[in-house]
Amino acid sequence: MTILEKTIAKEKIEKVPIWFMRQAGRYLPEYQMIKKDRSFMEMVMDPEIASEITLQPIKRFDLDAAIIFSDILVILHALNMNVSFDNGLPEISKVVNDENDIDELVKSYSSEMLSDRLKYYSKAIELTRKGLQTEKTLIGFAAAPFTLASYMIEGKTSKTHAKTRAWMYSNPHTFGKLMDFIVKSTIDYLNIQIKAGANVIQLFDSWGDAMATDIYLKHLVSYIEKISESVSKKVPVIYFCRGASIHRESLTRLYKKGVSVISLDWRLPINSFGDYPVQGNLDPAVLLSNPDTVRNMTLEVLNARGNKPGFIFNLGHGIYPETPMENVEAMVNTVKQFKPNY
Ligand code: CP3
């Protein structure tokens, strides 16, 4: 078992493992070097480059887990929905507007077609797993269903998700049909990553806090469960919900449905889920301050949850591109020096 798997199984491993969201990316000078003359999709679709970028933060900080360099929207690219990141921001030109569009997606879909279109992705995962020490974890990932539905319907990162919410209220039947398609294709997408060597899966529900808590509980959490129950038969599942705090009841339910770890954002105290395994939750904005503040606030998180098994240190959301390196180092070193008092 890798270090994260042992931690998730609540073994006493004498340290707190650390990795952080968006660890492979723009705050790293060595990433900027590679990115200089390449587009984002070019890098993602080149297995050697993607693997090299994935391993960059491991080499620099000796982190306990690598997360494969890709994007939650790569599945839409594989589904021919015309995804581009040309200005750094995602744009999907073939959005889902009505039931016909859903039928079209369903008709042209097969698991074989998906794995065929994602050969470069399997290759990148295989290469990365080979380049990673055996005790280190390789994390595969996907968007949670509501978050992916929002991108498919809105065509971009929406501030309001108004079209998506309106569709859900006005036509729950067709919205459910889209969610069923997302669940099926996401399970296939994750199985492709597991087969290639991913040891743990993280589901990103970045826009999960756009919905009311009762609606989330009644209508949305079941789609996440279908994915987590299926995938957790093979590997542990981490569920990240930005704004996780508002969906407390749903999150507790997810723990019983295949989710092993909740990845908390910074709005909720890290010790909010008792003995359940958690990941998080330093505010990434702390990394825009200074090394002393970083050390103190990192220690606060560690003291709050690090003395019980089942804790993975992480940020509460992705690292900001303008983060100074000395602050990342202060955070990583503070976590490494911490000895849990089990
Ligand atoms: O290090 C890692 O975490 C692995 C790679 C990774 C990327 N995106 C690379 C990326 C991961 C895990 C993601 C997840 C992702 N993508 C999420 C969920 C996490 C979150 O932030 O809430 C979301 C919502 C997306 C969608 C997306 N992709 C957005 C909103 C953007 C543009 C703005 C931004 O955050 O960078 C992207 C593009 C993207 N994904 C880049 C990278 C390195 C930047 C591409 C570029 O600079 O050209």
Side-chain angles (χ1 to χ4, degrees):
M1 280 210 280
T2 61
I3 293 172
L4 249 64
E5 290 169 277
K6 286 184 187 165
T7 307
I8 293 168
K10 296 219 258 178
E11 279 185 34
K12 293 180 174 170
I13 60 157
E14 312 303 330
K15 67 175 214 166
V16 171
I18 172 170
W19 71 279
F20 49 93
M21 288 182 268
R22 307 300 292 273
Q23 65 188 23
R26 288 171 297 178
Y27 73 105
L28 279 179
E30 55 271 38
Y31 170 77
Q32 294 292 0
M33 284 292 290
I34 297 187
K35 189 183 153 55
K36 220 168 40 192
D37 38 24
R38 293 180 178 89
S39 75
F40 177 64
M41 277 315 280
E42 249 170 69
M43 298 188 287
V44 164
M45 292 179 80
D46 180 329
E48 278 172 16
I49 298 272
S51 173
E52 186 184 339
I53 295 173
T54 304
L55 294 172
Q56 281 178 342
I58 312 303
K59 289 191 176 130
R60 187 185 265 267
F61 303 115
D62 191 30
L63 304 167
D64 297 295
I67 180 159
I68 188 73
F69 185 74
S70 184
D71 195 86
I72 57 167
L73 304 177
V74 155
I75 184 170
L76 303 185
H77 181 267
L79 295 173
N80 293 314
M81 289 185 68
N82 299 349
V83 183
S84 79
F85 295 87
D86 288 345
N87 308 310
L89 293 175
E91 257 186 68
I92 297 124
S93 58
K94 241 177 104 184
V95 293
V96 178
N97 283 313
D98 51 30
E99 192 170 10
N100 283 340
D101 292 340
I102 303 170
D103 290 342
E104 194 67 37
L105 276 170
V106 172
K107 211 169 68 199
S108 57
Y109 182 80
S110 72
S111 319
E112 295 72 34
M113 165 271 223
L114 192 69
S115 49
D116 205 48
R117 298 264 300 155
L118 290 170
K119 278 215 173 88
Y120 65 87
Y121 198 20
S122 309
K123 192 89 212 301
I125 293 174
E126 281 164 21
L127 269 178
T128 310
R129 194 49 275 181
K130 276 190 202 131
L132 208 54
Q133 289 156 276
T134 49
E135 76 272 16
K136 296 198 191 280
T137 310
L138 182 55
I139 301 173
F141 63 89
F146 179 80
T147 291
L148 195 65
S150 170
Y151 277 104
M152 292 172 89
I153 293 166
E154 316 269 350
K156 60 179 173 26
T157 302
S158 167
K159 282 209 177 74
T160 61
H161 313 276
K163 243 174 113 183
T164 313
R165 284 151 66 209
W167 187 338
M168 208 189 119
Y169 300 136
S170 57
N171 199 336
H173 173 73
T174 54
F175 189 79
K177 212 163 146 181
L178 177 63
M179 293 294 266
D180 285 338
F181 173 73
I182 290 175
V183 166
K184 182 179 174 358
S185 52
T186 299
I187 291 173
D188 288 340
Y189 181 49
L190 293 172
N191 279 330
I192 290 167
Q193 300 178 52
I194 295 166
K195 200 166 155 214
N199 314 101
V200 169
I201 290 299
Q202 176 151 324
L203 294 175
F204 284 94
D205 216 352
S206 305
W207 314 126
D209 66 350
M211 295 310 301
T213 51
D214 59 333
I215 291 180
Y216 192 83
L217 188 63
K218 267 195 233 130
H219 303 292
L220 296 172
V221 85
S222 65
Y223 296 108
I224 306 168
E225 286 168 4
K226 284 187 187 137
I227 299 174
S228 56
E229 286 192 311
S230 166
V231 170
S232 63
K233 291 187 188 122
K234 298 181 179 159
V235 300
V237 176
I238 304 173
Y239 174 75
F240 168 74
C241 179
R242 203 182 62 89
S245 29
I246 68 165
H247 296 307
R248 221 178 163 113
E249 232 182 305
S250 297
L251 297 177
T252 315
R253 188 171 124 175
L254 281 174
Y255 272 124
K256 299 181 180 87
K257 300 278 186 178
V259 168
S260 295
V261 183
I262 298 289
S263 189
L264 286 179
D265 69 21
W266 64 93
R267 285 167 269 210
L268 200 68
I270 191 68
N271 55 3
S272 299
F273 285 94
D275 289 339
Y276 283 121
V278 282
Q279 171 177 279
N281 71 341
L282 187 72
D283 183 345
V286 170
L287 294 185
L288 303 178
S289 64
N290 56 69
D292 273 343
T293 307
V294 170
R295 273 189 286 274
N296 291 336
M297 294 190 77
T298 301
L299 272 175
E300 277 179 29
V301 174
L302 288 165
N303 287 328
R305 185 58 179 81
N307 291 312
K308 275 195 297 193
F311 176 50
I312 304 165
F313 189 94
N314 205 310
L315 295 172
H317 199 199
I319 189 166
Y320 299 125
E322 62 274 30
T323 302
M325 208 57 72
E326 57 173 356
N327 289 345
V328 186
E329 279 158 9
M331 170 181 79
V332 172
N333 292 335
T334 306
V335 176
K336 283 192 183 173
Q337 281 156 20
F338 183 82
K339 294 279 167 281
N341 179 16
Y342 294 130

